[in-house]
């Protein structure tokens, strides 16, 4: 959903937006802290305190399978019986969806916390954005009714995106895309794709010839961009994108398959069982949204074989695809970062001479592009994972073949009109 905004506010109007903007920003940070905090407490109880109390191992196959299955049952019950039915199915909506009624807020919060604590391979993005927007719009209608709802929606989305990624840059990039789409239709990224690639090649050539304004940086471990990195990094990004595309192709088909059970209590529970089996095979590192697990994977990569790292990536994309298809509410960006890092580490394991920042950044670029379909976000996260702003030059070149591969591939969303009609009446099947 993109708000239709065609307003050029005056400075006085912008000044009046400052207070609600600050309030929404604070609300976003506190809401994320609260949800994550409750989920962490529940997660500790499920995965640490309870198994310790009964003398079980949380890493055992039976515990992982049982926990994920019960998590699916709990989420299915909330979807079936709570007011608002846990919000919209994340498989059928973009990152920023329609404004939810307040009656749906408790259910959305419940399914999000259960999924985060239970080890489901989804991030918090879609539900936490929906919660922030719903609360912000409701508060604004009561206390600042003159502020247009589209502005409130965008401030809420920006606030929670800034909170999740720890920087306002990602929010600015994504919302610039939204505003452009609302005004002119289509993606701003598609219109700027050519100029961004041209800028990348220009910077790379100037850097190679020693005439670029930017120097080599101060104390950076990254050696700086060059064409060899493009040749090495492009296959990594393409392979990561292909892994993401495979998940995107499979997700709608799995969505339809599980919906044959007709009741969310049944199909989300069944999905939890499948996730448990995948988790038992891949181990704890393939569970949860993937942020902590990404760090663990990087630190453990030296002790793993190439095939073990690759298997971790494949199990994670399977878990992400199943979790997205069976009705769990959550986002796909955090798990896709894990997948991209795993592909990058696989490449580095095969060819140890590849620089770690390049391997990781290219893997993340390809995976996030395929799963999230947002060039700005893919570039931003790739540079953040690579750890050096100069990597952006190489990424802007490597994104050329990667985006051309991704743009014609399936999107990890349920788009068929008949399927969407089925999703709208899902809780009542």
């Amino acid at each position: 959903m993109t708000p239709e905004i065609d307003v050029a506010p005056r400075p006085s109007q912008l000044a009046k937006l400052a207070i609600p903007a600050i309030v929404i920003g604070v609300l976003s940070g506190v809401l994320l802290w609260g949800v994550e905090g409750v989920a962490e407490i529940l997660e500790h109880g499920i995965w640490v305190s309870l198994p310790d109390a009964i003398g079980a191992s949380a890493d055992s196959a039976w515990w992982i399978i049982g926990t994920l299955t019960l998590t699916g049952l709990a989420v299915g019950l909330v979807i079936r019986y709570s007011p608002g039915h846990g919000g919209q199915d994340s498989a059928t909506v973009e990152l920023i969806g329609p404004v939810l009624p307040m009656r749906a807020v408790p259910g959305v919060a419940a399914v999000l916390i259960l999924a985060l604590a239970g080890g489901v391979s989804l991030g918090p993005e879609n539900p936490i954005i929906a919660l922030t927007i719903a609360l912000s719009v409701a508060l604004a209608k009561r206390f600042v009714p003159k502020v247009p709802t589209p502005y409130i929606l965008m401030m809420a989305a920006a606030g929670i995106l800034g909170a999740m990624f720890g920087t306002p840059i990602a929010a600015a990039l994504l919302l610039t895309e939204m505003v452009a789409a609302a005004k002119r239709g289509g993606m701003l990224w598609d219109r700027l794709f050519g100029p961004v690639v041209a800028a990348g090649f220009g910077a790379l050539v100037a850097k190679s010839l020693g005439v670029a304004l930017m120097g080599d940086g101060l104390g950076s471990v990254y050696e700086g961009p060059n064409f060899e990195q493009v040749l090495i990094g492009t296959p990594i990004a393409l392979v990561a994108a292909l892994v993401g595309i495979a998940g995107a192709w499979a997700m709608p088909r799995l969505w339809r398959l599980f919906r044959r059970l007709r009741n969310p209590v049944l199909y989300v529970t069944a999905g939890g069982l499948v996730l448990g089996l995948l988790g038992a095979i891949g181990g704890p590192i393939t569970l949860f949204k993937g942020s902590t697990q990404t760090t663990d994977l990087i630190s453990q990569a030296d002790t793993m074989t190439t095939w073990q790292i690759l298997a971790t990536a494949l199990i994670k994309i399977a878990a992400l695809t199943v979790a997205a298809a069976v009705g769990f509410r959550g986002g796909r960006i955090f798990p896709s970062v894990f997948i991209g890092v795993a592909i990058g580490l696989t490449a580095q394991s095969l060819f140890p001479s590849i620089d770690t920042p390049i391997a990781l950044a290219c893997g993340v670029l390809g995976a996030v592009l395929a799963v999230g379909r947002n060039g700005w976000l893919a570039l931003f996260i790739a540079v953040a994972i690579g750890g050096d702003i100069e990597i952006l030059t190489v990424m802007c070149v490597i994104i050329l073949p990667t985006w051309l591969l991704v743009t014609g591939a399936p999107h990890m969303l349920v788009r068929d009109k008949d399927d969407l009609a089925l999703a709208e009446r899902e809780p009542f099947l």
Side-chain angles (χ1 to χ4, degrees):
M1 175 183 175
T2 54
E4 295 183 2
I5 298 176
D6 191 18
V7 180
R10 295 186 297 273
S12 60
Q13 292 175 311
L14 289 175
K16 291 178 181 178
L17 290 175
I19 293 178
I22 293 171
V23 171
I24 289 173
V26 172
L27 171 67
S28 300
V30 171
L31 182 61
L32 181 64
W33 170 78
V35 168
E36 293 273 7
V38 174
E40 286 178 8
I41 293 171
L42 185 58
E43 176 189 332
H44 188 272
I46 294 172
W47 296 95
V48 179
S49 299
L50 183 57
D52 285 350
I54 63 175
S57 172
D59 295 345
S60 63
W62 73 269
W63 189 270
I64 293 174
I65 294 170
T67 298
L68 268 298
T69 303
L70 290 175
T71 299
L73 174 61
V75 170
L77 288 170
V78 174
I79 292 174
R80 181 64 183 88
Y81 296 108
S82 70
H85 304 289
Q88 286 195 293
D89 187 345
S90 300
T92 65
V93 295
E94 299 281 358
L95 189 62
I96 301 174
V99 180
L100 296 176
M102 282 298 294
R103 64 185 177 85
V105 166
V108 175
V111 294
L112 172 57
I113 291 169
L114 287 169
L116 291 175
V120 176
S121 291
L122 289 174
E125 306 95 280
N126 295 59
I128 198 69
I129 290 173
L131 286 173
T132 308
I133 289 174
L135 291 170
S136 299
V137 169
L139 290 171
K141 287 182 177 179
R142 178 173 180 113
F143 296 106
V144 283
K146 292 184 179 180
V147 179
T149 297
Y151 275 106
I152 298 297
L153 188 153
M154 292 193 65
M155 286 191 289
I160 196 62
L161 286 168
M164 280 192 296
F165 291 106
T167 172
I169 303 301
L173 292 173
L174 287 173
L175 296 186
T176 298
E177 184 78 65
M178 287 177 57
V179 172
K183 282 181 172 290
R184 296 180 57 183
M187 296 178 65
L188 176 64
W189 169 251
D190 284 331
R191 293 197 290 274
L192 293 185
F193 171 65
V196 167
V197 172
F201 271 97
L204 190 56
V205 171
K207 181 74 175 180
S208 300
L209 297 177
V211 295
L213 177 62
M214 298 292 289
D216 293 329
L218 299 175
S220 172
V221 297
Y222 176 57
E223 65 181 27
N226 56 61
F227 280 101
E228 181 182 357
Q229 294 169 5
V230 174
L231 295 176
I232 292 171
T234 298
I236 299 174
L238 291 174
V239 170
L242 286 171
V243 172
I245 289 170
W249 176 86
M251 196 273 280
R253 291 163 173 79
L254 286 175
W255 190 94
R256 288 191 289 270
L257 177 64
F258 277 93
R259 291 315 181 281
R260 291 182 180 179
L261 295 175
R262 301 185 66 80
N263 189 315
V265 177
L266 297 178
Y267 58 71
V268 184
T269 302
L273 173 60
V274 175
L275 289 179
L277 293 171
L278 289 170
I281 296 170
I285 200 168
T286 60
L287 303 178
F288 301 98
K289 64 183 180 182
S291 54
T292 301
Q293 290 71 30
T294 297
T295 303
D296 293 342
L297 181 62
I298 293 172
S299 65
Q300 297 173 18
D302 290 340
T303 66
M304 302 172 67
T305 67
T306 301
W307 295 112
Q308 286 175 325
I309 301 173
L310 179 60
T312 299
L314 297 179
I315 291 171
K316 189 65 174 182
I317 187 63
L320 167 60
T321 304
V322 171
V326 301
F328 286 106
R329 292 356 184 193
R332 299 178 280 277
I333 300 302
F334 282 82
S336 69
V337 173
F338 178 94
I339 293 162
V341 165
I343 295 298
L345 290 172
T346 301
Q348 191 182 44
S349 179
L350 287 170
F351 306 100
S353 61
I354 300 176
D355 289 341
T356 299
I358 288 295
L360 299 183
C362 291
V364 169
L365 181 77
V368 175
L369 269 181
V371 174
R373 287 306 178 87
N374 190 291
W376 303 120
L377 190 61
L379 284 173
F380 167 77
I381 298 179
V383 172
I385 293 293
D388 194 303
I389 190 63
E390 282 202 283
I391 290 179
L392 180 61
T393 299
V394 177
M395 294 301 103
C396 285
V397 174
I398 293 176
I399 204 169
L400 167 60
T402 312
W403 182 251
L404 292 178
L405 171 66
V406 165
T407 191
H411 196 166
M412 192 175 271
L413 273 177
V414 174
R415 291 186 177 277
D416 185 88
K417 291 182 179 179
D418 292 336
D419 291 339
L420 291 174
L422 178 64
E424 289 179 357
R425 61 179 188 271
E426 170 190 278
F428 308 104
L429 292 177

